[in-house]
Amino acid sequence: MVLAGWRARPGRGLGRCACVLAVLCCAGAARADDGYLARLATAVRSQLDDAAASHAVRLVPPVPVAVKWKPQKLGALDLGAPLVAVAAADLDGDGKAEVYLVTSLEVIAVATAGRRIRTLGRVAFGGDPAVPASRDPVGTAVVDGNAVIAATSAWAHDLRVEWNRGVLSARQGPGGFVVCGDRLALVPGRNHFREAGAALLGARCRSDLTDAAGAPLRIRAELALSGALEVVIERCAAAGTECRQAASYQYKDVGVAFELADVDRDGTPELIASSASAPGEPDAVRVIPLGSPAGKAAFKKTFNGGVAGIVVADGDGDGVAEVIAVVRLAGATRVDFWRLD
Amino acid sequence: MRIVNAVIAVAWLAAPARAETRPQYGGTVEAALLGAPVTLDPVAAQSHAEVTVVGLVFDTLYTVGPDGAEPHLAVGPPSLDAARTTAHIALRRGVKFHDQSVMVAADVVDSLERVRKKVAWLLAPIASVRAAGDGIDLALRVPGVDVAPLLALPQTAITRRGQPPGARPVGSGPFAVDSFDREARRLVLKAFDDHFAGRPYLHRLDLGWFDTPDGEARRFETGAAQLSARGAAAFAGASPKYAASHVDGPTAVLVFVGFGRRHPVVTSEPAFRQALDLALDRAALSTVTSGERTVPARLPLPIEAGGAELDAASQAGNPQQALAVLRAAGAHSGALAPAGLAHLSLAIIVDQTRPDDREIALRVSRGLARLGIGFTIEAVAADALRDRVQRGDCDLWIGQLAAPIRVAAAWWGAAFAAGGDDWAARQLAAGPIDPATAAPEFTRKLPIVPLMFRSLVVWHRNDVHGLGFDTSSRPGLADLYWFPKAPP
């Protein structure tokens, strides 16, 4: 029997699957009325349990870091068009995350390390303008592997933005807005999505965080038109499978700029959110450990302008992610960058 | 981390939430126009009220922003061929009219050809328009001329098959006409879901107009209207029912005196017009305001487009010089001689739905009095005024022009045309208008007598957001939204 001599070893996951498939193929050819299949299934289950036990993924608890909240203005930049979305990641491989600013015209990569904001590259949207667009441009920016998928309601096609030999480049995507792995469409001519009958302003998903014990978490936060943010947390088995809902929270009056992160790495993810009032008016960023009441924010910073984007990324390459807020006045194309910790 | 399997509803407990979310959809806003719109046909639009409505119901190929012409129905700026005699304009695809038909190049061609026939000066640099490829080709009379600013003027808005709109106009603009009741003084617009630039946030826009100076402010004060361009309260010191703020637009509305043909030997005479121009006290005229800024003017050109600011002496006028001009002319023309003028009474007609114009007419009449000329002032319905002006059935009339503040060609063209003079049209057909030529030509003929440029100050309830102005001082009503929520 194929399974008899098989021992699970680290890095042999694919091999294990192949073995199981082989067994099932053989079983299909056997007679079904002599109990052979039942015995085979039991043997397979047993072997797999043994293999899983010997192959258990070790939980790695996060190592807390001391966060000092000390807001600091990094600089300002005139983007030339309204900012619609922000993302951050180290896509150029220099060990420091870049911030990707999506406007209604282009995607602009900037570096936030050092004493000033530095533009690294720009790529423009192109092709057909979206018809209908939304009255005020809206957009999304999502990191996907080594690229940023950027979309705005002003253009029919999204952009896949990446670095090629030190040059920021882009190619057109199929259109739509990547939201938590799905491609959504705006309600025609409007500034929100509709998914499964519910109207959404946006959503964030994280599957790379763990709880304090190191168990993988899956978090999904959906922002309704009312400004209510529904956050659902699933805790998963060590291998990231068998996820079960562990908690859900609702926060009211959340603005469209929000992010999920475990800034202090204590295993309790935080919601970092702007507030929901008229666009461009004075705003605030609050950092709230998920589960805490909104009034018990770990940190709060008010701004004279509206918070148009929040990212959490290691912009200075010190191994610890910072919270960066992008702030603007109503109708302005000039934005200020604030590092909050 | 200790996570409990429970739903916890939490809310901001701190001070009232402020700032960045997205506008919401819904609700109705009641506002007022600066007067009754006589027509909803783009090519016939003249007054501020008309160009405002045209901008809500129809679309143009371009709009004029702070930095110049911007593509609207067009995909990009006009591209010139090698000889620079043909400009190609690519059009957005998938644009719909209110009747759900899709706009095609033929609609644009027919609309622009109608403009060429009806408003000669406006597209004078264009010899012909035809459909071509993904848009239209314009044959230019002047190689390389930039036609985009002209194609941003509301008169060039695109209609279905280029036809004049009927009783219920079909445009492609952010709002469709729901009802237009002239007697009830009400134009109701409803949001057009498929507007190519995005559905307006409001469901409905109720636009009215008034024939009393305080009617609009009173309605705002009591909370019945959410916007007012004539103050926040009917009486000084009073407060509106709801907390309010105001937004000030550019001084892009020209108020002028036009001339009819009841006494053509007098009013068609350049010397009479020059005398009136000199006799007017524009400093006094510019106090006719309910809070908006006014800029006295003797040329139809805003300072932003190259016009000159009048000094105090020029604003006050020069009655002695005015009389001298008239006397000199009277030596050659009996109609302008003192004996002839002594028995003359000129009829000034004003639009009764623009109460400010009555005040303006009164101050113009003081200029006539300085010249020893009698007058009558008659307030008539807006459509009657338009009709009488076209027939020449008046001596003087108070008119309005609104155009993008920095587009000089639009001001010269509209001003000469308002006085029935085709000088600007001929100039535009030959090339850009040279201000050094236009100003003396205008001053010599005075097809109209400019009085002042004025802005709009619009008061809005603090829970109505998004109010701004375009460069023609038209309020951006399609961008209004209630925040946090429209009243039920």
Side-chain angles (χ1 to χ4, degrees), chain A residues 95-99 111-114 313-318 320-322 324 339:
Chain A
K96 300 171 184 174
E98 310 84 50
V99 176
T112 59
D314 181 10
D316 55 12
D318 66 355
V320 179
E322 305 93 40
I324 293 173
R339 178 178 161 167

Side-chain angles (χ1 to χ4, degrees), chain B residues 344-419:
Chain B
L344 181 65
S345 177
L346 297 181
I348 309 174
I349 59 172
V350 298
D351 180 343
Q352 65 185 14
T353 64
R354 297 204 301 245
D356 295 345
D357 285 7
R358 271 185 255 190
E359 293 293 315
I360 290 167
L362 267 174
R363 284 161 173 76
V364 170
S365 69
R366 287 177 198 161
L368 289 173
R370 285 172 164 183
L371 299 174
I373 299 173
F375 62 87
T376 59
I377 298 174
E378 188 182 357
V380 299
D383 52 353
L385 181 130
R386 182 71 52 89
D387 180 54
R388 285 177 60 174
V389 166
Q390 281 173 351
R391 287 189 287 111
D393 184 16
C394 64
D395 291 308
L396 307 177
W397 56 285
I398 305 300
Q400 239 182 34
L401 290 175
I405 195 162
R406 293 182 191 279
V407 181
W411 288 108
W412 288 121
F416 275 97

Side-chain angles (χ1 to χ4, degrees), chain A residues 173-306:
Chain A
F177 298 78
V178 176
V179 178
C180 286
D182 295 322
R183 248 175 215 279
L184 302 184
L186 290 171
V187 176
R190 303 208 185 201
N191 60 12
H192 58 262
F193 306 102
R194 186 171 295 281
E195 189 185 39
L200 294 180
L201 286 175
R204 296 279 187 287
C205 292
R206 293 291 299 259
S207 56
D208 56 342
L209 301 177
T210 66
D211 68 6
L217 299 176
R218 284 186 186 173
I219 313 174
R220 182 183 178 92
E222 290 187 356
L223 182 62
L225 299 189
S226 63
L229 185 76
E230 300 280 352
V231 184
V232 176
I233 301 178
E234 291 180 336
R235 186 193 292 127
C236 307
T241 55
E242 296 181 33
C243 299
R244 290 186 181 162
Q245 183 171 323
S248 65
Y249 307 105
Q250 187 187 72
Y251 291 89
K252 292 180 179 172
D253 298 323
V254 174
V256 288
F258 69 92
E259 188 54 278
L260 301 166
D262 187 2
V263 181
D264 54 9
R265 296 188 188 173
D266 67 347
T268 301
E270 289 91 23
L271 166 66
I272 305 134
S274 61
S275 48
S277 191
E281 289 189 352
D283 202 350
V285 169
R286 289 174 174 82
V287 180
I288 307 158
L290 286 177
S292 298
K296 294 194 174 178
F299 172 73
K300 177 186 170 187
K301 164 70 181 161
T302 56
F303 296 98
N304 290 329

Side-chain angles (χ1 to χ4, degrees), chain A residues 128 136 253 275 277 281 328, chain B residues 1 12 18-20 93 201:
Chain A
D128 290 332
D136 290 306
D253 298 323
S275 48
S277 191
E281 289 189 352
R328 66 176 169 203
Chain B
M1 181 177 69
W12 296 134
R18 308 279 284 168
E20 190 99 3
R93 289 182 287 183
Y201 298 115

